[in-house]
């Protein structure tokens, strides 16, 4: 199995998809080879300055804890634990998080062993090896191993409260499908989706895969931000939270961390959308559901 990198510098870095390509071998994707970490770091662009957020070992220590906490037979369970803590540890702005080269470096230079552990598929029936999809190293934000977790935490948190993130990341179909949709950038929409899961209205992956297209399609004619407006967001809490990284303790392992002290989503906006989404779900075609099913 792919090992922890032998060489871990002090600071995070950036690496482009073109540069990364030479290190993403078939052996790595099958978990048989390690990343040549010294060569990779020579190619990477080290982030300048002494910003505490960019200290590599803060992130690596968190990933080591995730690898210890979750058994190899249940790697998906790590998502709900790691997502809020990765978000709280890095404390990125959305502009910073849009830098794809950072996530590529995290996957190849910081924790390729985690990517393989988390995303290696089962061996096939014909005896061929399982593989990690290449996009877990260099894919878009809704597929890349670490970008998907950070963005899930950013989009599903309720101000400083990461509990909705845990719910969303506990369902792989919600995590995989909702992140593709622009509508989850509207906070009441994101929390209304989580609310249906918490109430048991939406329970299975099939339910999620029926709900999210219905909600997305309805958004084309019904502007959710008009019928359920979000509160105005002040940038000061985010700036204060980022500035506090220097003195922040490591992200707590046993309890959820606190995110930026931003204003929470209006409860009435979430209620309005949750009721609307429940109606949409009642009419949505769910594979395997019959008309007599009691929801």
């Amino acid at each position: 199995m792919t090992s922890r990198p032998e060489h871990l510098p002090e600071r995070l870095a950036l690496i482009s998809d073109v540069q990364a390509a030479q290190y993403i071998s078939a052996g790595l994707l099958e978990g048989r080879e390690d990343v040549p970490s010294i060569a990779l770091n020579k190619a990477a662009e080290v982030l300048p300055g002494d910003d505490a957020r960019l200290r590599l070992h803060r992130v690596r220590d968190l990933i080591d804890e995730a690898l210890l906490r979750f058994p190899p037979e249940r790697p998906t369970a790590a998502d709900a634990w790691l997502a809020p803590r990765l978000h709280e540890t890095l404390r990125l702005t959305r502009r910073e998080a849009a830098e794809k080269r950072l996530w590529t470096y995290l996957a190849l230079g910081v924790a390729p062993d985690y990517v393989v552990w988390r995303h290696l598929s089962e061996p096939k029936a014909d005896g061929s090896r399982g593989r990690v999809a290449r996009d877990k190293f260099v894919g878009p934000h809704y597929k890349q191993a670490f970008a998907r977790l950070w963005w899930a935490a950013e989009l599903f948190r309720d101000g400083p409260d990461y509990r909705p993130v845990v719910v969303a990341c506990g369902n792989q179909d919600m995590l995989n499908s909702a992140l593709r949709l622009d509508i989850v950038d509207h906070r009441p929409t994101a929390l209304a989706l989580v609310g249906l899961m918490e109430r048991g209205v939406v329970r299975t992956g099939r339910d999620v895969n029926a709900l999210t297209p219905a909600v997305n399609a309805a958004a084309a004619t019904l502007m959710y931000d008009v019928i359920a407006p979000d509160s105005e967001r002040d940038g000061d809490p985010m700036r204060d939270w980022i500035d506090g990284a220097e003195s922040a303790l490591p992200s707590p392992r046993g309890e959820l961390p606190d995110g930026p002290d931003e204003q929470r989503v209006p409860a009435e906006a979430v209620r309005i959308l949750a009721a609307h989404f429940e109606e949409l779900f009642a009419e949505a075609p769910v594979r395997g559901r019959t008309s007599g099913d009691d929801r």
Side-chain angles (χ1 to χ4, degrees):
M1 188 68 81
T2 298
S3 302
R4 189 180 194 267
E6 291 185 358
H7 175 63
L8 289 171
E10 291 298 316
R11 300 185 61 70
L12 295 173
L14 308 176
I15 192 164
S16 70
D17 288 0
V18 172
Q19 292 171 312
Q22 62 184 302
Y23 304 107
I24 305 176
S25 64
L28 175 64
L29 296 179
E30 292 176 355
R32 296 184 288 106
E33 296 179 359
D34 297 337
V35 173
S37 54
I38 293 177
L40 181 137
N41 278 285
K42 286 181 179 178
E45 176 188 339
V46 179
L47 289 166
D50 191 31
D51 191 332
R53 299 176 301 152
L54 304 178
R55 294 172 187 166
L56 184 150
H57 288 276
R58 292 165 61 100
V59 179
R60 182 65 225 196
D61 289 349
L62 191 63
I63 291 167
D64 286 338
E65 178 70 20
L67 288 166
L68 288 172
R69 275 181 173 262
F70 298 94
E73 61 271 16
R74 292 188 61 241
T76 56
D79 288 350
W81 184 88
L82 185 55
R85 292 167 177 85
L86 181 68
H87 186 273
E88 191 269 345
T89 297
L90 288 173
R91 302 196 182 201
L92 303 173
T93 65
R94 290 192 178 189
R95 181 185 295 274
E96 291 169 331
E99 175 53 86
K100 190 173 184 290
R101 294 177 298 166
L102 173 64
W103 303 115
T104 301
Y105 181 78
L106 272 175
L108 281 171
V110 179
D113 53 325
Y114 181 88
V115 178
V116 171
W117 173 85
R118 169 61 184 84
H119 293 287
L120 185 66
S121 65
E122 294 292 328
K124 297 181 181 178
D126 63 5
S128 57
R129 291 176 175 272
R131 287 175 65 90
V132 177
R134 191 174 185 276
D135 56 25
K136 298 306 177 186
F137 286 99
V138 293
H141 76 278
Y142 53 85
K143 287 188 175 181
Q144 204 271 353
F146 295 113
R148 68 198 283 270
L149 298 180
W150 190 94
W151 281 102
E154 173 66 11
L155 295 172
F156 284 103
R157 66 182 173 86
D158 185 7
D161 185 3
Y162 286 117
R163 286 177 296 177
V165 178
V166 174
V167 177
C169 292
N171 185 302
Q172 289 298 303
D173 291 278
M174 178 61 76
L175 182 56
N176 292 335
S177 62
L179 288 185
R180 300 169 182 260
L181 307 177
D182 290 340
I183 56 171
V184 296
D185 192 43
H186 181 237
R187 297 195 304 165
T189 294
L191 292 188
L193 292 172
V194 169
L196 294 187
M197 295 173 63
E198 290 181 307
R199 288 168 44 211
V201 175
V202 173
R203 298 191 298 268
T204 67
R206 291 180 178 182
D207 290 348
V208 170
N209 289 331
L211 173 66
T212 51
V215 169
N216 193 52
T221 55
L222 187 64
M223 295 182 3
Y224 296 151
D225 57 346
V226 172
I227 66 171
D230 196 357
S231 55
E232 291 292 330
R233 300 180 71 175
D234 181 357
D236 287 342
M238 175 62 76
R239 285 189 288 271
D240 292 343
W241 188 63
I242 289 173
D243 291 342
E246 181 68 43
S247 59
L249 296 173
S251 193
R253 281 21 179 182
E255 59 187 28
L256 283 174
D258 292 325
D261 193 20
E262 295 178 319
Q263 189 168 349
R264 292 177 182 265
V265 178
E268 180 62 11
V270 176
R271 186 196 66 77
I272 290 170
L273 287 183
H276 178 61
F277 295 167
E278 187 169 356
E279 292 177 0
L280 292 176
F281 178 64
E283 300 299 323
V286 179
R287 188 162 59 91
R289 182 170 76 181
T290 66
S291 59
D293 282 349
D294 181 12
R295 305 299 300 183

